Structure formats: structure tokens, C-alpha cells
Amino acid sequence: MFQEEIQRYYEALREPKINKIEELVREFIEKHVSSVVILNEGLIGAMGIIGQEFKASKLWVPEVLLAARNMHRGIEILKPELLKNNVPSKGKFLIGTVKGDIHDIGKNLVIMMMTGAGYQVIDLGIDVPQERFLEAIDKERPDIVGLSALLTTTMLEMKEVVKSIPKNFSSPPKIIIGGAPVTRKFSEEIAADGYGEDAIRAVELADQLLMSKGMI
Ligand code: B12
């Protein structure tokens, strides 16, 4: 995508009127731009600029909230395109954003990609405490659990959840983690089964883990 096009996504994310982002995403779908490009370069690219401006205090929380609302709407419009290659259920995937953290755009993208790849997804939402993960794992018996965190402080909560799962289950699910501050090194340190830098990698990772269990 050209810089000017990414700029249009940026402007649409900043726009109080929600129809701007709706029109823009539809325009690009009609122009046959790949849905993955619209997502990764348009929407996520523009959100990256918002993130930098937020960090530099050029934007404030209400403006970022507005961008998040617009981003959700853009993703909603793109969803049918991204889910076009639907395949039968591969396994159960349970995901949540950990305690203390309310960021959910990335988590929702992971959910969308996992659904599109054929996983049955259980979404625990945001600000999910360790006990809630354990209860849900007990009830749902997922094959894979995903943890999302966007704050350096809540990354530490991931460590607690990852530690508690094998302690509570004799055949524990595989655990994958992700979110902007998370790294492969951190995932190794806390003994998660895998780290995914984006939603596409989340699917690859889940497939690999199930393959190693002989499930697919
Ligand atoms: C939007 C946003 C918000 C919105 C969130 C709205 C929402 N519904 O999510 C609002 C305004 C509410 C918000 C609040 C805050 N935010 Co904020 N926010 C952002 C921002 C700009 C974008 C995040 C985003 O959605 N990115 C786009 C998505 C698609 O990317 P992603 O989440 O990384 O997800 C991808 C991958 O990481 C991966 N992934 C994600 N989860 C998972 C899970 C698994 C299992 C796998 C495999 C992969 C995976 O796949 C995703 C898709 O590709 C970031 C800046 C940034 N650069 O990240 C700051 C940022 C995360 N926020 C920040 C801060 C400080 C805050 C606040 C503390 C601000 C405040 N003073 O109140 C609060 C915290 C609230 C809380 N308790 O959680 C800081 C964090 C700094 C730090 N190091 O901890 C950042 C980095 C901004 C900054 N540079 O300062 N924020």
C-alpha cells in the first residue's frame, strides 16, 4: 500500500464519523485489494501511527478510543473477506486479555484469524483474572490457550497464568502468548509453548502445536 493510502486510513481512524472508515474499507475491497493487505498495511499500519503519536503525547486517550472504535468497525467490514476460506473445526482455542489489561483489538484479530482457519474459539474477553482462565479451561477443555497483553505491567500477569495451568491440569492445553510488548525471549522465559508476533503467526503456531500432539 502507498504512503498516501495508509494516510487515508490514518485520517479515517481519527474521524468522529464512523462512515469514513466504512467507506474506505469498502472502497479498497471493491478495488480488489487483498483483505490481508487492507488489514496489515491499512488498518494496523494506521493504528501504528496512532500508537507513536499517543506515545509522544500528541494524542490523548479519548482520541485513541475513537480510533479503536473505528478500527473495530473497519475490521467488522473486512471480516467476511478474511473468513472466506472457512474450513471445518480443527480444535478448540480459548483466549483472553490478561488481568489489568483492556486492550482487545489484537486479541479480536487473533480470534478472527483462528476462526477463519477452522478453530472453535472461546473468547473470555478483557481483564481476565487467572482463576477465570482456570475455570474456563476446566469447563471447556481447549486444545490451545492464548493470552494477550499490551502493557509491560500486565505481561507479568501472563507469567502467573502460564505457571498455574500445568499445576492444575494433568493434560494441560498448549499455551501461546502475544501482544505488542511480548517477545519470543519472554515467552521462553515464562515457559509458554509459543509466541506469535501477529494473528497469522498465531494460526501457524496453533497448527504446529496440534500437529506435534498428532491432532491434525
Ligand atoms: C488502542 C490503544 C488503546 C485503547 C485500547 C482500545 C481497545 N479496545 O483495545 C485505549 C485508549 C483504551 C488504551 C488504553 C491504555 N493504553 Co493503550 N494503546 C493503544 C495502541 C495505540 C494500539 C494498540 C492496538 O490495538 N494495536 C493494534 C493491534 C492489531 O496490535 P496488537 O494489539 O499488538 O496485536 C497484534 C499482535 O501483538 C498479536 N497478538 C495480540 N494478542 C495476541 C495473543 C496471542 C495469543 C498471539 C499469538 C498474538 C497476539 O496479533 C495481533 C494482530 O496482528 C497502543 C500502541 C501500540 N503501538 O501498540 C497503546 C499502548 C499499548 N497503550 C499504552 C498505555 C500506556 C495505555 C494506558 C495505560 C493509557 C492510560 N494512561 O490510561 C491505558 C491502559 C488501559 C488498560 N488497563 O489496559 C502503551 C503501553 C506502554 C507499555 N509499555 O506498557 C502503548 C504501547 C502506547 C504507548 N506507546 O505508550 N490504549
Side-chain angles (χ1 to χ4, degrees):
M1 208 176 264
F2 295 113
Q3 203 52 48
E4 308 84 77
E5 293 175 313
I6 299 171
Q7 182 64 24
R8 288 182 66 200
Y9 276 87
Y10 167 80
E11 279 157 19
L13 285 188
R14 299 282 320 271
E15 181 62 53
K17 289 200 204 89
I18 203 155
N19 62 329
K20 285 281 170 216
I21 193 73
E22 294 173 342
E23 284 163 16
L24 189 61
V25 173
R26 287 199 182 106
E27 178 192 320
F28 276 66
I29 294 173
E30 277 159 25
K31 282 198 289 195
H32 302 289
V33 177
S34 137
S35 52
V36 175
V37 170
I38 300 179
L39 177 65
N40 287 338
E41 299 182 25
L43 290 167
I44 297 182
M47 189 51 110
I49 307 174
I50 304 245
Q52 286 160 14
E53 293 185 341
F54 185 37
K55 190 173 180 184
S57 304
K58 286 187 195 154
L59 293 182
W60 302 100
V61 170
E63 294 165 295
V64 184
L65 269 177
L66 179 74
R69 182 207 66 175
N70 290 343
M71 176 103 176
H72 277 301
R73 184 71 191 121
I75 292 170
E76 219 172 272
I77 291 172
L78 206 53
K79 201 169 172 177
E81 296 299 313
L82 287 163
L83 296 184
K84 264 186 180 158
N85 306 319
N86 226 336
V87 284
S89 179
K90 278 185 200 159
K92 229 182 204 189
F93 177 64
L94 183 139
I95 187 169
T97 301
V98 297
K99 188 170 87 181
D101 202 320
I102 62 164
H103 294 86
D104 68 356
I105 297 174
K107 169 186 72 63
N108 293 343
L109 279 173
V110 171
I111 290 177
M112 203 162 63
M113 290 299 180
M114 292 291 283
T115 309
Y119 284 88
Q120 182 194 341
V121 178
I122 299 135
D123 178 14
L124 298 185
I126 53 173
D127 193 15
V128 181
Q130 181 183 312
E131 312 79 63
R132 175 96 179 82
F133 276 108
L134 295 178
E135 275 165 29
I137 294 169
D138 193 31
K139 181 164 167 256
E140 302 285 351
R141 300 284 158 177
D143 304 296
I144 300 174
V145 171
L147 306 177
S148 184
L150 265 284
L151 301 172
T152 38
T153 46
T154 56
M155 269 168 76
L156 302 175
E157 177 64 19
M158 282 181 157
K159 184 176 174 181
E160 299 308 313
V161 180
V162 171
K163 246 197 318 195
S164 70
I165 293 176
K167 273 195 203 147
N168 283 273
F169 300 97
S170 53
S171 54
K174 298 283 184 191
I175 310 168
I176 65 174
I177 65 171
V182 179
T183 59
R184 184 173 313 282
K185 186 164 170 282
F186 177 73
S187 98
E188 285 164 7
E189 271 165 28
I190 68 167
D193 296 299
Y195 153 73
E197 62 271 31
D198 59 32
I200 292 168
R201 184 72 194 122
V203 172
E204 290 169 0
L205 206 56
D207 285 354
Q208 277 164 12
L209 289 169
L210 289 196
M211 235 180 277
S212 69
K213 274 174 122 187
M215 291 185 57
I216 52 173

